[in-house]
Amino acid sequence: MVLAGAVVVLVAVAVALATGLVGGDDEPERELTRSTPEETASGPVRAEFCDGVADLEVALTQAPDDPAALGGYVAERITPAVAAVRGALPRDDAAADVEVVLAAVEQATASGDGTAFDTPDFAAAQARFYPYVAEACDYPLVTVTATDHAYAGFPATLKAGRAVLTLANTSESGELHEIALVKLVPEATLPLEEFVALPPEEAAALIDPASYGQGVYAAPGETGGAVVELSAGRWVFACFVPTGTTDPAVEGTGPPHVANGMYGEVTVS
């Protein structure tokens, strides 16, 4: 599921659409590489659960911006993905957290109202859910902390395939933060500082369009998460939330956090 986290990410990533560094309606649909191992008798969860979570993440991040097209898209992509995850729910203590997240996704996509993601119950369930997915599905867990305005904990290298990315927002000023991930094309050899300073149209020309739509969002004092699919190459991550944004519905008036130095890169092999 791009779980609840993924739908919420759309709110923050919308900020990045204007910069040209995160794809919009014309971005190609990403195909998942099936990196989940086959289920074994000793496996902690069914493989269908792990694949379903990843499929739902992708479906949510690719949701159309046009409200008129959303209903059909939900019926075609999101509802079946939710059903697949629910049908493979683990029979352990994690099932309750998974159900909280699924219910919030259903409520938000049915009504277009994201308030289901603003409850303490959802925040607590999501914070436990993603580490559980990493452990149960044997994915690497990348735990990142966001401050004003820097990241801590993002490794310099990662293995290709699925990974779970969590972001703990410890902003003392109450600002929203995100990690938006994009992969650079092989020809993009310029230093990271030069890349993030490029005009949007020049930066977009150096980004692999198939990498758009991956990332994670976290409200102040909360921990967000996502399952990401990383292919080999050079990846850049940044926060495009405008400075002064303390409410997801009201953008701040300052420059995006990336302009304050909130960015980095990771090599995937």
Side-chain angles (χ1 to χ4, degrees):
M1 326 166 264
V2 107
L3 286 189
V7 173
V8 182
V9 171
L10 296 177
V11 178
V13 171
V15 176
L17 293 174
T19 71
L21 295 183
V22 174
D25 291 340
D26 296 329
E27 69 182 61
E29 187 169 301
R30 292 188 290 116
E31 292 295 331
L32 282 175
T33 300
R34 296 298 181 187
S35 57
T36 303
E38 291 297 321
E39 180 185 5
T40 64
S42 60
V45 295
R46 292 165 54 190
E48 291 85 353
F49 173 80
C50 302
D51 287 337
V53 170
D55 287 346
L56 184 52
E57 293 275 358
V58 172
L60 287 169
T61 56
Q62 292 178 350
D65 295 330
D66 182 2
L70 187 58
Y73 180 87
V74 169
E76 180 181 353
R77 294 285 305 279
I78 295 177
T79 299
V82 169
V85 174
R86 186 171 278 134
L89 277 179
R91 297 184 181 277
D92 55 26
D93 292 342
D97 288 335
V98 176
E99 184 55 42
V100 168
V101 173
L102 289 177
V105 170
E106 289 179 316
Q107 180 178 333
T109 54
S111 65
D113 181 358
T115 56
F117 302 124
D118 296 333
T119 68
D121 285 348
F122 173 77
Q126 180 184 223
R128 293 187 294 262
F129 172 78
Y130 284 100
Y132 170 79
V133 171
E135 180 179 6
C137 299
D138 196 24
Y139 298 155
L141 175 61
V142 180
T143 57
V144 181
T145 300
T147 59
D148 299 322
H149 294 108
Y151 297 117
F154 214 115
T157 60
L158 284 170
K159 293 293 185 182
R162 289 180 187 162
V164 170
L165 177 62
T166 65
L167 178 66
N169 184 349
T170 62
S171 170
E172 294 185 359
S173 58
E175 297 205 14
L176 282 66
H177 286 303
E178 69 169 349
I179 294 175
L181 275 165
V182 290
K183 180 183 175 182
L184 302 188
V185 297
E187 297 78 15
T189 59
L190 72 173
L192 176 61
E193 292 75 12
E194 294 182 17
F195 171 75
V196 297
L198 289 174
E201 63 278 5
E202 294 183 29
L206 298 178
I207 294 173
D208 179 350
S211 69
Y212 285 131
Q214 302 203 71
V216 59
Y217 155 94
E222 296 183 2
T223 298
V227 177
V228 295
E229 185 87 12
L230 303 177
S231 57
R234 182 186 180 193
W235 289 74
V236 172
F237 55 93
C239 182
F240 295 98
V241 177
T243 301
T245 303
T246 58
D247 184 328
V250 182
E251 291 185 3
T253 58
H257 294 156
V258 63
N260 300 330
M262 201 167 185
Y263 58 84
E265 67 176 289
V266 56
T267 299
V268 178
S269 60

